[in-house]
């Protein structure tokens, strides 16, 4: 069965899994249990919950997995920095109750908070009447411990204020790398993220390499070691991207993973891809398990 890429949802057969999804815990638009319900509804056999720098949605997702009869892969997406770019590292089958890991992720969320404040300061300098408080209020619910504000939340507020037409416009105008309000604070390296994941008994995978726009940097990062896999299939990867990263996976002896990078819909628009629109064979899970 051929892996799928792109944003159009196609019917799935049992034995497929979406290994990249986000929830309320970071910058997704729904509870983790809802991701699991949708995955089961779409006949996936497994779904991974991979929130940014937090594991606070995993317990709810794992309970939902029992309810809906679907495998939930406990994961995380760690923010790192290399070669002047933000690089994301996915961790699968981590011990998400590991105290050291939880402390480390909390430190990354502190960095995220400082970054958000710097972004908002830049936006205000452009005459946009936005505050941290208005962004949090715009989320429309009380945030739980371990959850964090992300750039999509800031984008939502820019849309509400009329400073952008939709989330993609907000990123293009202000928040994307190279845009006027983009801020990237010092972060850990991808190698360090791999070490953290390994010490929490998980496996590290390089997320969406096509988004970095620099395959030489991708090669350097993979050469550093510590990675078990590469996310060749992703909603923002075209066929040529997939072909290149399949070759890199073969060259470096890496597992091939994939996922939609589902965040939910904002104003009716799905950012990245819909849940289940990009999948890989569930057989990869046995290889991903430590």
């Amino acid at each position: 069965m051929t892996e799928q890429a792109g944003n159009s949802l196609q019917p799935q057969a049992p034995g497929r899994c979406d290994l990249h999804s986000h929830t309320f815990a970071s910058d997704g638009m729904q509870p983790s249990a809802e991701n699991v319900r949708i995955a089961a509804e779409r006949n996936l056999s497994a779904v991974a919950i991979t929130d940014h720098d937090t594991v606070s949605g995993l317990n709810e997702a794992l309970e939902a997995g029992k309810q809906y009869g679907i495998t939930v892969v406990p994961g995380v997406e760690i923010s790192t920095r290399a070669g002047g770019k933000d690089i994301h590292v996915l961790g699968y089958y981590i011990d998400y109750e590991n105290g050291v890991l939880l402390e480390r992720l909390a430190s990354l969320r502190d960095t995220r908070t400082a970054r958000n404040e710097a972004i908002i300061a830049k936006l205000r300098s452009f005459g946009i009447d936005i505050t941290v408080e208005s962004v949090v209020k715009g989320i429309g619910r009380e945030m739980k411990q371990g959850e964090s504000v992300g750039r999509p939340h800031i984008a939502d507020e820019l849309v509400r204020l009329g400073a952008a037409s939709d989330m993609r416009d907000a990123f293009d105008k202000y928040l994307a790398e190279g845009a006027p309000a983009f801020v990237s604070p010092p972060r850990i390296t991808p190698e360090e993220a791999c070490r953290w994941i390994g010490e929490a008994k998980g496996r590290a995978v390089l997320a969406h390499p096509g988004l970095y726009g620099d395959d030489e940097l991708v090669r350097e990062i993979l050469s550093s070691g510590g990675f078990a896999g590469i996310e060749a299939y992703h909603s923002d990867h075209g066929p040529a991207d997939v072909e290149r990263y399949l070759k890199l996976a073969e060259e470096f002896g890496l597992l091939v993973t994939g996922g939609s990078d589902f965040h939910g819909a904002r104003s009716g628009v799905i950012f990245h891809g819909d849940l289940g629109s990009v999948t890989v064979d569930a057989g990869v899970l046995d290889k991903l398990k430590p």
Side-chain angles (χ1 to χ4, degrees):
M1 187 177 291
T2 303
E3 321 298 353
Q4 297 162 15
N7 292 322
S8 58
L9 183 65
Q10 302 178 28
Q12 303 295 311
R16 309 297 295 174
C17 57
D18 185 336
L19 294 180
H20 197 158
S21 77
H22 296 272
T23 77
F24 273 168
S26 59
D27 53 357
M29 291 298 290
Q30 57 199 34
S32 56
E34 182 66 2
N35 285 27
V36 178
R37 185 195 67 77
I38 293 173
E41 184 180 79
R42 293 176 180 175
N43 294 321
L44 299 185
S45 62
V47 63
I49 304 298
T50 53
D51 280 306
H52 296 286
D53 304 325
T54 185
V55 293
S56 66
L58 291 183
N59 281 324
E60 176 185 316
L62 290 163
E63 285 300 313
K66 297 174 186 176
Q67 177 183 351
Y68 295 109
I70 182 173
T71 296
V72 173
V73 179
V76 68
E77 186 170 13
I78 295 180
S79 306
T80 78
R81 188 83 174 161
K85 294 182 180 289
D86 287 344
I87 307 294
H88 290 174
V89 179
L90 292 158
Y92 294 109
Y93 289 107
I94 51 172
D95 174 6
Y96 62 94
E97 295 179 328
N98 180 284
V100 174
L101 176 66
L102 294 177
E103 289 179 5
R104 288 168 165 171
L105 294 179
S107 72
L108 296 184
R109 293 195 299 276
D110 289 343
T111 299
R112 182 180 291 263
T113 297
R115 179 207 64 177
N116 293 342
E117 291 171 350
I119 289 173
I120 287 171
K122 282 193 172 187
L123 291 170
R124 289 184 64 81
S125 75
F126 305 147
I128 299 172
D129 187 19
I130 186 172
T131 65
V132 172
E133 292 75 19
S134 68
V135 171
V136 173
K137 183 178 180 181
I139 294 172
R141 61 181 178 83
E142 185 176 345
M143 298 189 71
K144 299 177 182 177
Q145 184 177 1
E147 297 181 352
S148 62
V149 172
R151 282 184 296 168
H153 297 127
I154 298 173
D156 283 343
E157 183 65 8
L158 289 171
V159 174
R160 282 190 288 270
L161 291 170
S165 58
D166 57 31
M167 185 167 71
R168 189 166 297 278
D169 185 46
F171 269 80
D172 290 344
K173 279 184 178 177
Y174 301 109
L175 303 176
E177 189 158 347
F182 179 76
V183 174
S184 183
R187 296 187 184 275
I188 64 171
T189 64
E191 297 86 347
E192 193 167 3
C194 289
R195 180 172 62 82
W196 287 11
I197 291 165
E199 290 176 356
K201 302 178 182 178
R203 305 292 296 281
V205 170
L206 181 63
H208 43 59
L211 295 187
Y212 308 134
D214 187 342
D215 279 359
E216 282 306 308
L217 176 61
V218 169
R219 181 178 291 276
E220 288 176 20
I221 291 169
L222 293 176
S223 297
S224 68
F227 285 94
I230 184 170
E231 189 178 46
Y233 298 98
H234 183 270
S235 296
D236 297 322
H237 285 180
D241 299 315
V242 172
E243 184 177 354
R244 290 200 315 279
Y245 300 128
L246 288 178
K247 289 180 179 177
L248 270 185
E250 183 175 3
E251 177 182 343
F252 285 92
L254 300 172
L255 297 173
V256 173
T257 73
S260 61
D261 205 350
F262 176 67
H263 285 69
R266 284 177 156 84
S267 302
V269 178
I270 293 175
F271 203 53
H272 293 308
D274 202 358
L275 192 69
S277 61
V278 179
T279 64
V280 291
D281 192 285
V284 75
L285 299 184
D286 289 333
K287 300 174 183 178
L288 267 181
K289 291 175 182 175

